Amino acid sequence: MKPAENINNLIKKLNLKASTELDQKVHNEISKILAESEKTKSAPSKLNTWRIIMTNKITKLAAAAVIIIAVVFGITVLDKSVTPAYAIEQTISAISSMRYVHTRYFDASHEDVTKECWIEMDDTGQLKNVRINWAEWITGEQIVVWNKDKTEMWNPKRNRLSVFNDKIYTARILQMANKANPRLYVERLHERQSKGEVKIEVEEPSNKSEPIVVTSTGLGENINRYVLFVDQATKLVTHLEWYQSEDDVYKYQGVTEFFDYNVPIDAKMFTLYDEIPTDAQIDDAKTHDIGLEQGDLTDKEMAVKVVQEFIESLIAKDYTRVGLICGGIPPGKVEKGWGRFNVVRLVSIGEPVPSSKVNKVYPKTVNVSCTFEFEKDGRIIQKLHYFYVGTVIGNRQNWTIYGEGRDTKSQEEFDRRTKKEEVKK
Amino acid sequence: MLEDRLLIWKLNRGNRQVLRHIYEKYKDRLVTLAAALLNNKTDAEDVVHDVFVSFINSAEKFRLTGSLNGYLATCVANNARNKNKAKYQQKNVPLDQAQTIASDSNSPDFQAIFGEQMCKLTWSLTELPYEQREVIMLHLYSRMKFKAIAKSQGVSINTIQGRYRYGITKLRTLLNSEVKK
């Protein structure tokens, strides 16, 4: 049997040439379109008038004289008045009054939009409102809207809207929003250019309908490459592509599109209450307590306590408390899931281990193993289970279980990833 | 990718000359794709022609959300499917006709080394059910992701992956068997 890659290779090597007849037919179509667009651009009556004027001998002489004067004048003033070339400062100036922007990020690994972002800034240029819609493959089409007083996070898979005000989460959202902010990009680029940290190459096409292409290549440790496309008329950035250097080759990573500069965004875009289904669960951290309070316990002690109370509440069939420990899940839902296990005894709880899922939003996440017994058909069965335990977004004094499963990634893997992220930064 | 985005940028800004560049860049790949789907080069060229004419006419409003290659390949596949439905389905293509897909390669070495295998491959492709052939070509030849194929055809990703798996298995079996004379 031939290996599958042989089929792949063979298929990739299929190669038919388009016939000259096809070439001719398509090029004719293109010529037709070009001719039509030329027609719409030019005004025939003006052309005719121009031709009549230019056939006159006196006019011809006058035109020649004008051309000579223009050339002489052009040569004399050439040294003094060279058309200014594009400089980043022009974009910084054009972008400085930006209040609204809409962006879309496409990751190289997917064809659909990865992340869509709407940003509103105040008069001082500070972020006022942010909305981020993620693709299904990243966070299950999660939507987050943020302002300085509160964050609304919609999770369609859980049919749940979480409302909170959390410093750590805010920092994360602001970091993402700043990545989508073209002004910060160009300012940072300018700063790095003045420090000699990047090499900037500018291609400014003579055709004004084409974009200025600004390529920035890092010279220091951060050798990534960014390519900005700048509209010649407005000097605003329309696209930003980024490339990562791997083995001396710049690999395309993704592109951000910037559009609707200063087009006011409807205030409704920055609140999710009107968008979510009427039966959605709404958890407001201000009014709804989630998780268990840490008090004087250490992080490890607290993680163990959360798992212990979870199992004990299951034994007591106190599904309200189980729901509270599990991030605020309604008791009915808990009973549907965990109620089928008639948990009878907690056997042991393992030592909490740092989880590879630790990130800026869940900085203290640990993975805790637990062995318990449940009864089924008159038999007692022992089960080893793993939980992800961490602090509650919006109330970091409380701890909660927010996931199940064994964290199979080793500590080394976790360290490697953290180091890589630091290098990226 | 960068080049395509730049081309579309220019196109959106009214530079129609880039249409020639786009056509020259993708014509052979699209003709090959269509020929593999339709088992017929003349029909394939008709499909590619129609796709380009439609693309040219809507160029002004065109907005690239994914890859240009994927977009054009999807258009070709959709047109080929319609053409296939309209026409009498040729189930058993004579070997000499199937050969036309593989025989255009420029390199003589390539023909010497891969000639027989390529003939066998093109014949085997014609033996696959149309839907399986389509997924295999879009995924392996046009480098489209399963998700994008599923979206373009309005079916689930599982269906597309299933068609691909069945198709590859059958293709492998056919490639290991004797070529039909």
Coordinates of all heavy atoms in Angstrom, one line a residue, chain A residues 206-276:
Chain A
S206 N 4.3 55.5 -7.1 CA 4.0 56.7 -7.7 C 2.4 56.8 -8.0 O 1.8 57.8 -8.0 CB 4.7 56.9 -9.0 OG 4.5 55.8 -9.9
N207 N 1.8 55.6 -8.2 CA 0.4 55.6 -8.4 C -0.3 55.8 -7.0 O -0.1 55.0 -6.1 CB 0.0 54.2 -8.9 CG -1.5 54.1 -9.2 OD1 -2.3 54.9 -8.8 ND2 -1.8 53.1 -10.0
K208 N -1.0 56.9 -6.9 CA -1.5 57.3 -5.6 C -2.6 56.4 -5.1 O -3.0 56.5 -3.9 CB -2.1 58.7 -5.7 CG -1.0 59.8 -6.0 CD -0.1 59.9 -4.8 CE 1.1 60.8 -5.2 NZ 2.2 60.7 -4.3
S209 N -3.1 55.5 -6.0 CA -4.2 54.6 -5.5 C -3.6 53.4 -4.8 O -4.3 52.6 -4.2 CB -5.1 54.1 -6.7 OG -4.3 53.3 -7.5
E210 N -2.3 53.2 -4.9 CA -1.7 52.1 -4.3 C -1.1 52.5 -2.9 O -0.8 53.6 -2.7 CB -0.5 51.6 -5.1 CG -1.0 50.9 -6.4 CD 0.1 50.5 -7.3 OE1 1.2 50.3 -6.8 OE2 -0.2 50.2 -8.5
P211 N -1.1 51.5 -2.0 CA -0.7 51.9 -0.6 C 0.8 52.1 -0.5 O 1.6 51.5 -1.2 CB -1.1 50.7 0.2 CG -1.1 49.5 -0.8 CD -1.4 50.1 -2.1
I212 N 1.2 52.9 0.5 CA 2.6 52.9 0.9 C 2.9 51.7 1.7 O 2.1 51.4 2.6 CB 2.8 54.2 1.8 CG1 2.5 55.5 1.0 CG2 4.3 54.2 2.3 CD1 2.4 56.7 1.8
V213 N 3.9 51.0 1.5 CA 4.2 49.8 2.2 C 5.4 50.1 3.1 O 6.5 50.4 2.6 CB 4.5 48.6 1.3 CG1 4.8 47.3 2.1 CG2 3.4 48.4 0.3
V214 N 5.2 50.0 4.4 CA 6.3 50.2 5.4 C 6.6 48.9 6.0 O 5.8 48.3 6.7 CB 5.8 51.2 6.5 CG1 6.9 51.5 7.5 CG2 5.2 52.5 5.9
T215 N 7.9 48.5 5.8 CA 8.3 47.2 6.4 C 9.3 47.5 7.5 O 10.3 48.2 7.3 CB 9.0 46.4 5.3 OG1 8.1 46.3 4.2 CG2 9.4 45.0 5.8
S216 N 8.9 47.0 8.7 CA 9.8 47.2 9.8 C 10.4 45.8 10.3 O 9.6 44.9 10.5 CB 8.9 47.8 10.9 OG 9.4 47.3 12.2
T217 N 11.7 45.7 10.3 CA 12.3 44.5 10.7 C 13.2 44.7 11.9 O 14.0 45.7 11.9 CB 13.3 44.0 9.5 OG1 12.5 44.0 8.3 CG2 13.7 42.6 9.8
G218 N 12.9 44.0 12.9 CA 13.6 44.1 14.2 C 15.1 43.8 14.1 O 15.5 42.9 13.3
L219 N 15.9 44.6 14.8 CA 17.4 44.4 14.7 C 17.9 43.7 15.9 O 19.0 43.2 15.9 CB 18.1 45.7 14.4 CG 17.7 46.4 13.1 CD1 18.3 47.8 13.1 CD2 18.2 45.7 11.9
G220 N 17.2 43.9 17.0 CA 17.8 43.3 18.3 C 17.3 41.9 18.5 O 17.4 41.1 17.6
E221 N 16.8 41.7 19.7 CA 16.3 40.3 20.1 C 15.0 40.0 19.4 O 14.7 38.9 19.0 CB 16.1 40.2 21.6 CG 17.5 40.0 22.3 CD 17.2 39.8 23.8 OE1 16.1 39.8 24.3 OE2 18.3 39.8 24.5
N222 N 14.2 41.1 19.3 CA 12.9 40.9 18.7 C 13.1 41.2 17.2 O 13.0 42.3 16.7 CB 11.9 41.9 19.3 CG 10.5 41.7 18.7 OD1 10.3 41.0 17.7 ND2 9.5 42.4 19.2
I223 N 13.3 40.1 16.4 CA 13.6 40.3 15.0 C 12.4 40.1 14.1 O 12.5 39.8 12.9 CB 14.8 39.4 14.6 CG1 14.4 37.9 14.9 CG2 16.1 39.8 15.2 CD1 15.4 37.0 14.3
N224 N 11.2 40.2 14.7 CA 10.0 40.0 13.9 C 9.8 41.1 12.9 O 10.4 42.2 13.0 CB 8.8 39.9 14.8 CG 8.8 38.7 15.7 OD1 9.5 37.7 15.3 ND2 8.1 38.7 16.8
R225 N 9.0 40.8 11.9 CA 8.8 41.8 10.9 C 7.3 42.2 10.8 O 6.5 41.4 10.9 CB 9.2 41.2 9.5 CG 8.9 42.1 8.3 CD 9.5 41.5 7.1 NE 10.9 41.7 7.0 CZ 11.7 41.3 6.1 NH1 11.2 40.5 5.1 NH2 13.0 41.5 6.1
Y226 N 7.1 43.5 10.7 CA 5.8 44.0 10.5 C 5.7 44.8 9.2 O 6.6 45.6 8.9 CB 5.4 45.0 11.7 CG 5.4 44.2 13.0 CD1 6.5 44.1 13.8 CD2 4.2 43.6 13.5 CE1 6.5 43.4 15.0 CE2 4.2 42.9 14.7 CZ 5.3 42.8 15.4 OH 5.3 42.2 16.6
V227 N 4.6 44.6 8.5 CA 4.4 45.3 7.3 C 3.1 46.1 7.4 O 2.1 45.5 7.6 CB 4.4 44.3 6.1 CG1 4.2 45.1 4.8 CG2 5.6 43.5 6.0
L228 N 3.3 47.4 7.3 CA 2.1 48.3 7.4 C 1.7 48.8 6.0 O 2.6 49.1 5.2 CB 2.4 49.5 8.2 CG 2.4 49.4 9.7 CD1 3.8 48.9 10.2 CD2 2.1 50.7 10.3
F229 N 0.5 48.8 5.7 CA 0.0 49.3 4.4 C -0.7 50.6 4.8 O -1.6 50.7 5.6 CB -1.0 48.4 3.8 CG -0.4 47.1 3.3 CD1 -0.1 46.1 4.2 CD2 0.0 46.9 2.0 CE1 0.5 44.9 3.8 CE2 0.5 45.8 1.6 CZ 0.8 44.7 2.4
V230 N -0.2 51.7 4.2 CA -0.7 53.0 4.5 C -1.4 53.7 3.3 O -0.8 53.7 2.2 CB 0.4 53.9 5.0 CG1 0.0 55.3 5.3 CG2 1.1 53.3 6.2
D231 N -2.6 54.1 3.5 CA -3.3 54.8 2.4 C -2.6 56.1 2.1 O -2.3 56.9 3.0 CB -4.8 55.1 2.9 CG -5.6 55.6 1.8 OD1 -5.4 56.8 1.4 OD2 -6.5 54.9 1.3
Q232 N -2.3 56.3 0.8 CA -1.6 57.5 0.4 C -2.3 58.8 0.7 O -1.7 59.8 1.0 CB -1.2 57.4 -1.1 CG -0.1 56.3 -1.3 CD 0.8 56.8 -2.4 OE1 1.3 57.9 -2.5 NE2 1.1 55.8 -3.3
A233 N -3.6 58.7 0.5 CA -4.4 59.9 0.6 C -4.6 60.3 2.1 O -4.4 61.5 2.5 CB -5.8 59.8 0.0
T234 N -5.0 59.4 2.9 CA -5.3 59.7 4.3 C -4.1 59.5 5.3 O -4.1 60.0 6.4 CB -6.5 58.8 4.8 OG1 -6.0 57.5 4.8 CG2 -7.7 59.0 4.0
K235 N -3.1 58.8 4.8 CA -1.9 58.4 5.6 C -2.3 57.5 6.8 O -1.6 57.4 7.8 CB -1.2 59.6 6.2 CG -0.7 60.6 5.1 CD 0.5 59.9 4.3 CE 1.1 60.8 3.3 NZ 0.3 61.1 2.1
L236 N -3.5 56.9 6.7 CA -3.9 56.0 7.8 C -3.5 54.5 7.5 O -3.5 54.2 6.3 CB -5.5 56.0 8.0 CG -6.0 57.4 8.5 CD1 -7.5 57.4 8.4 CD2 -5.6 57.6 9.9
V237 N -3.3 53.8 8.5 CA -2.9 52.4 8.3 C -4.1 51.6 8.0 O -5.1 51.7 8.7 CB -2.2 51.8 9.6 CG1 -1.8 50.4 9.4 CG2 -1.1 52.6 10.0
T238 N -4.1 50.8 7.0 CA -5.3 50.0 6.6 C -5.0 48.5 6.9 O -6.0 47.8 7.2 CB -5.6 50.1 5.2 OG1 -4.5 49.7 4.4 CG2 -6.0 51.5 4.8
H239 N -3.8 48.0 6.8 CA -3.5 46.7 7.1 C -2.2 46.6 7.9 O -1.3 47.4 7.6 CB -3.3 45.8 5.8 CG -4.5 45.7 5.0 ND1 -5.1 46.7 4.3 CD2 -5.3 44.6 4.8 CE1 -6.2 46.2 3.7 NE2 -6.3 45.0 4.0
L240 N -2.1 45.6 8.7 CA -0.8 45.3 9.3 C -0.5 43.8 9.3 O -1.3 43.1 9.9 CB -0.8 45.8 10.8 CG 0.4 45.4 11.6 CD1 1.6 46.3 11.3 CD2 0.1 45.5 13.1
E241 N 0.5 43.4 8.6 CA 0.8 42.0 8.6 C 2.0 41.8 9.5 O 2.9 42.6 9.6 CB 1.2 41.6 7.2 CG 0.0 41.7 6.2 CD 0.2 41.1 4.9 OE1 1.3 41.0 4.4 OE2 -0.8 40.7 4.3
W242 N 2.1 40.6 10.1 CA 3.3 40.3 10.9 C 3.9 39.0 10.6 O 3.1 38.0 10.2 CB 3.0 40.6 12.4 CG 2.3 39.5 13.2 CD1 1.0 39.3 13.2 CD2 2.9 38.6 14.1 NE1 0.7 38.3 14.1 CE2 1.9 37.9 14.6 CE3 4.2 38.4 14.5 CZ2 2.1 36.9 15.6 CZ3 4.4 37.4 15.4 CH2 3.4 36.7 16.0
Y243 N 5.2 39.0 10.6 CA 5.9 37.8 10.2 C 6.9 37.4 11.3 O 7.5 38.3 12.0 CB 6.7 38.0 8.9 CG 5.9 38.3 7.7 CD1 5.3 39.6 7.6 CD2 5.7 37.4 6.8 CE1 4.5 39.9 6.5 CE2 4.9 37.6 5.7 CZ 4.3 38.9 5.5 OH 3.5 39.2 4.4
Q244 N 7.0 36.1 11.6 CA 8.0 35.7 12.6 C 9.2 35.1 12.0 O 9.0 34.3 11.0 CB 7.3 34.7 13.5 CG 7.8 34.7 14.9 CD 6.9 33.9 15.8 OE1 6.1 33.1 15.4 NE2 7.1 34.1 17.1
S245 N 10.3 35.4 12.5 CA 11.5 34.8 11.9 C 11.8 33.4 12.4 O 11.9 33.2 13.6 CB 12.7 35.7 12.2 OG 13.9 35.1 11.8
E246 N 11.8 32.5 11.5 CA 12.1 31.1 11.9 C 13.2 30.6 11.0 O 12.9 30.5 9.8 CB 10.8 30.2 11.9 CG 9.9 30.5 13.0 CD 8.6 29.7 12.8 OE1 8.5 28.7 12.2 OE2 7.5 30.3 13.3
D247 N 14.3 30.2 11.5 CA 15.4 29.7 10.7 C 15.7 30.6 9.5 O 15.8 30.2 8.4 CB 15.1 28.3 10.1 CG 14.7 27.3 11.3 OD1 15.3 27.4 12.3 OD2 13.8 26.5 11.1
D248 N 15.8 31.9 9.9 CA 16.2 32.9 8.9 C 15.1 33.1 7.8 O 15.4 33.7 6.8 CB 17.5 32.6 8.2 CG 18.7 32.7 9.3 OD1 18.5 33.5 10.2 OD2 19.6 32.0 9.1
V249 N 13.9 32.6 8.0 CA 12.9 32.8 7.0 C 11.7 33.5 7.8 O 11.4 33.1 8.9 CB 12.4 31.5 6.5 CG1 11.2 31.7 5.5 CG2 13.5 30.7 5.7
Y250 N 11.2 34.5 7.1 CA 10.1 35.2 7.7 C 8.8 34.5 7.4 O 8.4 34.5 6.2 CB 10.0 36.7 7.3 CG 11.1 37.5 8.0 CD1 12.3 37.8 7.4 CD2 10.9 37.9 9.3 CE1 13.3 38.5 8.1 CE2 11.9 38.6 10.0 CZ 13.1 38.9 9.4 OH 14.0 39.6 10.1
K251 N 8.1 34.0 8.4 CA 6.9 33.3 8.1 C 5.7 34.1 8.5 O 5.6 34.7 9.6 CB 6.9 32.0 8.9 CG 7.8 30.9 8.4 CD 7.6 29.6 9.0 CE 8.5 28.6 8.4 NZ 8.7 27.4 9.2
Y252 N 4.8 34.2 7.6 CA 3.5 35.0 7.7 C 2.7 34.4 8.9 O 2.5 33.3 9.0 CB 2.7 34.9 6.4 CG 1.4 35.6 6.6 CD1 1.2 36.9 6.6 CD2 0.2 34.8 6.6 CE1 0.0 37.5 6.6 CE2 -1.0 35.3 6.7 CZ -1.2 36.7 6.7 OH -2.4 37.3 6.8
Q253 N 2.4 35.3 9.8 CA 1.6 34.9 11.0 C 0.1 35.4 11.0 O -0.7 34.7 11.5 CB 2.3 35.4 12.3 CG 3.7 35.0 12.5 CD 3.9 33.5 12.6 OE1 3.1 32.9 13.4 NE2 4.8 32.9 12.0
G254 N -0.1 36.5 10.4 CA -1.5 37.0 10.4 C -1.5 38.5 10.0 O -0.5 39.1 9.8
V255 N -2.8 38.9 9.8 CA -3.0 40.3 9.4 C -4.1 41.0 10.2 O -5.1 40.3 10.5 CB -3.2 40.4 7.8 CG1 -4.5 39.6 7.5 CG2 -3.3 41.8 7.3
T256 N -3.9 42.2 10.5 CA -5.0 43.0 11.1 C -5.4 44.0 10.1 O -4.6 44.7 9.5 CB -4.5 43.7 12.4 OG1 -3.9 42.7 13.3 CG2 -5.6 44.4 13.1
E257 N -6.8 44.1 9.9 CA -7.3 45.1 9.0 C -7.9 46.2 9.9 O -8.6 46.0 10.9 CB -8.5 44.5 8.2 CG -8.0 43.6 7.2 CD -9.2 43.0 6.4 OE1 -10.4 43.3 6.7 OE2 -8.9 42.3 5.4
F258 N -7.6 47.5 9.5 CA -8.1 48.6 10.3 C -9.1 49.4 9.4 O -8.7 49.7 8.3 CB -7.0 49.6 10.7 CG -6.0 48.9 11.5 CD1 -4.8 48.5 10.9 CD2 -6.1 48.7 12.9 CE1 -3.8 47.9 11.7 CE2 -5.1 48.1 13.6 CZ -4.0 47.7 13.0
F259 N -10.3 49.6 9.8 CA -11.2 50.4 9.0 C -12.2 51.2 9.9 O -12.1 51.1 11.1 CB -11.9 49.6 7.9 CG -12.5 48.3 8.4 CD1 -13.8 48.1 8.8 CD2 -11.6 47.1 8.5 CE1 -14.3 46.9 9.2 CE2 -12.2 45.9 8.9 CZ -13.5 45.8 9.3
D260 N -13.1 51.9 9.2 CA -14.1 52.8 9.9 C -13.4 53.7 10.9 O -13.9 53.8 12.1 CB -15.1 51.9 10.6 CG -16.0 51.1 9.6 OD1 -15.9 51.5 8.4 OD2 -16.7 50.2 10.0
Y261 N -12.3 54.3 10.5 CA -11.7 55.3 11.4 C -12.7 56.4 11.7 O -13.2 57.0 10.7 CB -10.4 55.9 10.7 CG -9.2 55.1 10.8 CD1 -8.8 54.2 9.8 CD2 -8.3 55.1 11.9 CE1 -7.7 53.5 9.8 CE2 -7.2 54.4 11.9 CZ -6.8 53.6 10.9 OH -5.7 52.8 10.9
N262 N -12.8 56.7 12.9 CA -13.7 57.8 13.4 C -15.1 57.7 12.9 O -15.8 58.7 12.9 CB -13.1 59.2 12.9 CG -12.0 59.6 13.9 OD1 -12.0 59.1 15.1 ND2 -11.1 60.4 13.5
V263 N -15.6 56.5 12.6 CA -17.0 56.3 12.4 C -17.6 55.9 13.7 O -17.3 54.9 14.3 CB -17.2 55.2 11.3 CG1 -18.7 54.9 11.1 CG2 -16.6 55.5 10.0
P264 N -18.5 56.8 14.3 CA -19.0 56.5 15.6 C -19.6 55.1 15.7 O -20.3 54.7 14.8 CB -20.1 57.6 15.8 CG -19.6 58.7 14.9 CD -19.0 58.0 13.7
I265 N -19.3 54.4 16.8 CA -19.8 53.1 17.0 C -21.1 53.2 17.9 O -21.0 53.9 18.9 CB -18.8 52.2 17.7 CG1 -17.5 52.1 16.8 CG2 -19.3 50.8 18.0 CD1 -16.3 51.5 17.4
D266 N -22.1 52.5 17.5 CA -23.4 52.5 18.3 C -23.1 52.1 19.7 O -22.5 51.1 19.9 CB -24.4 51.6 17.6 CG -25.8 51.7 18.1 OD1 -25.9 52.2 19.3 OD2 -26.7 51.4 17.4
A267 N -23.7 52.8 20.7 CA -23.5 52.5 22.1 C -24.0 51.1 22.4 O -23.4 50.4 23.3 CB -24.2 53.5 23.0
K268 N -24.9 50.6 21.6 CA -25.5 49.3 21.9 C -24.4 48.2 21.7 O -24.6 47.1 22.2 CB -26.6 49.0 20.9 CG -27.9 49.7 21.4 CD -29.0 49.3 20.4 CE -30.3 50.1 20.8 NZ -31.3 49.9 19.7
M269 N -23.4 48.5 20.9 CA -22.3 47.5 20.7 C -21.5 47.2 22.0 O -20.8 46.2 22.1 CB -21.4 48.0 19.6 CG -21.9 48.0 18.2 SD -22.0 46.3 17.6 CE -20.3 45.9 17.3
F270 N -21.6 48.2 22.9 CA -20.8 48.0 24.1 C -21.6 47.5 25.3 O -21.2 47.8 26.5 CB -20.1 49.4 24.4 CG -19.1 49.8 23.3 CD1 -19.3 50.9 22.6 CD2 -18.1 49.0 23.0 CE1 -18.5 51.3 21.6 CE2 -17.2 49.3 21.9 CZ -17.4 50.5 21.2
T271 N -22.7 46.9 25.1 CA -23.4 46.2 26.2 C -24.0 45.0 25.6 O -24.5 45.0 24.4 CB -24.4 47.1 26.9 OG1 -25.0 46.3 27.9 CG2 -25.5 47.7 26.0
L272 N -24.0 43.9 26.3 CA -24.5 42.6 25.8 C -25.9 42.2 26.3 O -26.4 41.2 25.8 CB -23.5 41.5 26.1 CG -22.1 41.7 25.5 CD1 -21.1 40.7 26.1 CD2 -22.1 41.7 24.0
Y273 N -26.4 42.9 27.2 CA -27.7 42.5 27.8 C -28.8 42.4 26.7 O -29.6 41.5 26.8 CB -28.1 43.5 28.8 CG -27.4 43.4 30.2 CD1 -26.3 44.1 30.4 CD2 -27.9 42.5 31.1 CE1 -25.6 43.9 31.6 CE2 -27.2 42.3 32.3 CZ -26.1 43.0 32.6 OH -25.4 42.9 33.8
D274 N -28.8 43.2 25.7 CA -29.8 43.2 24.7 C -29.6 42.1 23.6 O -30.4 41.7 22.9 CB -29.9 44.5 23.9 CG -30.4 45.6 24.8 OD1 -31.0 45.3 25.9 OD2 -30.2 46.8 24.5
E275 N -28.3 41.6 23.6 CA -28.0 40.6 22.6 C -28.2 39.1 23.0 O -28.3 38.3 22.2 CB -26.5 40.7 22.2 CG -26.2 41.9 21.3 CD -24.7 42.0 20.9 OE1 -24.1 40.9 20.7 OE2 -24.2 43.1 21.0
I276 N -28.1 38.9 24.3 CA -28.1 37.5 24.8 C -29.5 36.9 24.8 O -30.5 37.7 24.9 CB -27.4 37.4 26.1 CG1 -28.1 38.2 27.2 CG2 -25.9 37.8 26.0 CD1 -27.6 38.0 28.6

